[in-house]
Amino acid sequence: IVFPGSLAVLIGAAPPPFRIFAGGLPRRLRRRNAFELSLEYGTRIGKYFMPINFYTTSHEAWEAELEEIAKAKKTIDIESYIFLNDSIGAKFLEALRERASAGVRVRCIFDAFGSFSFSKKTIEWCTTNKIEVELFHKFLGNKLHIPFWKRMLTRNHRKTIIIDSRVAFVGGVNVEESHAYWRDLQIKIAGDAIKPIIETFENTWKYLQGGYLKRFHTRFKERLEIIGKRLTLEVWNHDPDQEQQSFRKLFKALMRHAKKDVLLITPYFFPSPLFLKYMKRAVNRGVRVRLLVPWEIDIKWIIPLMRQYVRAAEIIGIEVRCSGNPRVHAKAFMVDGKWGVIGSANLNQKSFLFDRELSLVIGSGPDAGALENIMDEWWKSGIPLTDAQKLLSFKERALGIPARILKRFI
């Protein structure tokens, strides 16, 4: 059902009194976030859903993905923010070439900014070997009639692989050799759960071919309910051309429902003041809020600003730890051991406002428990901030000024 001005409750997830249009609801319920209703009622009914496979390093995820690619019979669809033509990229391209020569249709969408080293020569090689490649929002020579500033800001940050419309990989894993042993999260799912992921890919592919974006019958039709005995899985697609700030609404709803514990893991922590307010309110309610971030990141010029936000989080009562080696690149969120989020979205304003993202919300059940164990293990291996790290040097304050001005675009 659709709640105008809000999110869509999962079809069939709400109890009978809520299976009506918003016009028939009491005003006090119309004001509530529809996702909050699904949090309360979404686990009461459902069907069997097969277990999820978790991969905790990029290397593990690549091995599983290459294994499934080798089994492909009909189609292989790939979306990746970073796909570099290095040693691991060459492995993937060779595997795709082999399947394409066997008659499998292979389509790839790579972000033009993240996959900057994917040269014209490599694209020609792919075309020769029947691998269809589209670069998302190229800077020059783009056939899409959209403003240049929008092409620059809006990136395709998803990392998905769909094989034969039967199995999909979703998470934060890019294809870059230097990421091989970073701590990351990629999950493998199968069955009806991948239908919204397929629809999302098809929509983007049509858009890059010069077509119009498909408008779903509901703004979040791609949120699919697959409920197991104690498990709920939701697919969240964030597309700024269709719905503004959907991930912000998701994180707000989860923070509001936190009762005991919240654990956030992100490689880039640039929250908006509003999101910091949600976190502070949770702390004031007595919720234990924990944050695991890397102290050093690959984008050097924004390190001072990120450290300012990390210190601000500790000041408002959040427990902060920093990952050493291997570096954490996972994007995960766990609330009360019941609701977990895995996907491509960072906790920054660019992911919330501009980028195309894809994440999965995992409800209570054995898979949520497995995710909680992985995140807790990483948290325990993290290093608390030292007294020296808690202090903000003059140099860091100065270097953080230009980054603060551009914080919406980071």
Side-chain angles (χ1 to χ4, degrees), residues 349-368:
Q349 297 191 63
K350 194 170 186 301
S351 287
F352 287 174
L353 296 176
F354 300 113
D355 290 345
R356 297 186 178 204
E357 308 280 4
L358 190 73
S359 292
L360 299 183
V361 181
I362 302 174
S364 56
D367 291 321

Side-chain angles (χ1 to χ4, degrees), residues 274-320:
L274 197 59
F275 190 74
L276 283 174
K277 184 187 291 187
Y278 300 151
M279 299 170 75
K280 185 176 181 180
R281 286 176 179 174
V283 171
N284 292 341
R285 295 198 310 268
V287 177
R288 183 190 183 195
V289 181
R290 297 176 289 164
L291 173 66
L292 179 65
V293 294
W295 187 247
E296 297 288 342
I297 57 178
D298 50 345
I299 309 174
K300 301 300 181 184
W301 70 277
I302 61 174
I303 290 177
L305 179 60
M306 179 167 160
R307 290 179 179 176
Q308 290 182 33
Y309 278 116
V310 168
R311 293 183 179 103
E314 188 177 58
I315 289 172
I316 64 176
I318 297 169
E319 299 178 39
V320 179

Side-chain angles (χ1 to χ4, degrees), residues 198-250:
I198 296 170
E199 189 173 11
T200 297
F201 179 90
E202 294 291 348
N203 199 32
T204 305
W205 183 263
K206 181 180 177 181
Y207 166 71
L208 294 175
Q209 294 289 317
Y212 291 98
L213 282 170
K214 178 181 177 182
R215 297 291 176 175
F216 299 111
H217 295 298
T218 70
R219 289 189 175 184
F220 284 88
K221 182 181 177 182
E222 61 269 37
R223 183 170 301 108
L224 181 71
E225 177 191 351
I226 299 292
I227 303 178
K229 295 178 180 177
R230 292 180 302 162
L231 179 144
T232 304
L233 178 68
E234 296 178 329
V235 179
W236 279 70
N237 168 42
H238 177 258
D239 188 336
D241 290 319
Q242 296 200 39
E243 175 68 16
Q244 282 290 331
Q245 302 183 0
S246 59
F247 275 9
R248 183 187 66 80
K249 295 172 184 176
L250 166 64

Side-chain angles (χ1 to χ4, degrees), residues 72-137:
K73 303 297 183 184
K74 297 179 180 178
T75 60
I76 300 172
D77 298 325
I78 298 177
E79 271 186 287
S80 185
Y81 176 65
I82 298 177
F83 193 106
L84 299 188
N85 192 16
D86 52 16
S87 58
I88 187 61
K91 272 188 179 181
F92 271 87
L93 289 176
E94 180 58 28
L96 296 175
R97 183 201 64 78
E98 191 275 330
R99 297 320 301 155
S101 65
V104 176
R105 186 185 184 188
V106 180
R107 295 181 295 175
C108 303
I109 300 174
F110 304 137
D111 186 80
F113 181 79
S115 305
F116 61 89
S117 71
F118 208 82
S119 64
K120 184 177 180 180
K121 184 178 179 180
T122 307
I123 294 176
E124 290 174 353
W125 179 89
C126 291
T127 303
T128 303
N129 289 280
K130 302 179 181 179
I131 301 172
E132 302 174 59
V133 176
E134 288 285 352
L135 295 181
F136 185 86
H137 283 184

Side-chain angles (χ1 to χ4, degrees), residues 37-170:
L37 295 178
S38 72
L39 288 179
E40 295 181 15
Y41 302 107
T43 57
R44 295 190 178 182
I45 58 175
K47 302 176 182 178
Y48 173 77
F49 177 69
M50 69 181 299
I52 296 172
N53 296 88
F54 291 87
Y55 304 98
T56 56
T57 67
S58 297
H59 180 75
E60 288 181 9
W62 295 336
E63 292 295 323
E65 289 166 353
L66 288 169
E67 183 180 344
E68 288 293 340
I69 286 173
K71 299 176 185 176
K73 303 297 183 184
K74 297 179 180 178
T75 60
I76 300 172
D77 298 325
I78 298 177
E79 271 186 287
S80 185
Y81 176 65
I82 298 177
F83 193 106
L84 299 188
N85 192 16
D86 52 16
S87 58
I88 187 61
K91 272 188 179 181
F92 271 87
L93 289 176
E94 180 58 28
L96 296 175
R97 183 201 64 78
E98 191 275 330
R99 297 320 301 155
S101 65
V104 176
R105 186 185 184 188
V106 180
R107 295 181 295 175
C108 303
I109 300 174
F110 304 137
D111 186 80
F113 181 79
S115 305
F116 61 89
S117 71
F118 208 82
S119 64
K120 184 177 180 180
K121 184 178 179 180
T122 307
I123 294 176
E124 290 174 353
W125 179 89
C126 291
T127 303
T128 303
N129 289 280
K130 302 179 181 179
I131 301 172
E132 302 174 59
V133 176
E134 288 285 352
L135 295 181
F136 185 86
H137 283 184
K138 293 184 288 186
F139 305 127
L140 299 174
N142 201 305
K143 59 188 174 185
L144 303 175
H145 299 288
I146 58 176
F148 178 75
W149 67 267
K150 188 174 183 180
R151 294 205 305 269
M152 290 291 291
L153 288 178
T154 306
R155 311 313 319 170
N156 187 0
H157 201 243
R158 300 173 186 140
K159 294 97 173 175
T160 62
I161 297 181
I162 308 164
I163 298 163
D164 290 340
S165 299
R166 62 175 176 82
V167 64
F169 293 86
V170 179

Side-chain angles (χ1 to χ4, degrees), residues 1-4 6-15 18-22 25 29 32-42 218-225 234 236:
I1 61 177
V2 180
F3 283 66
S6 187
L7 305 182
V9 174
L10 300 176
I11 302 299
F18 292 97
R19 291 181 191 161
I20 53 178
F21 287 100
L25 284 176
L29 293 179
R32 297 177 61 185
N33 188 303
F35 180 70
E36 296 178 9
L37 295 178
S38 72
L39 288 179
E40 295 181 15
Y41 302 107
T218 70
R219 289 189 175 184
F220 284 88
K221 182 181 177 182
E222 61 269 37
R223 183 170 301 108
L224 181 71
E225 177 191 351
E234 296 178 329
W236 279 70

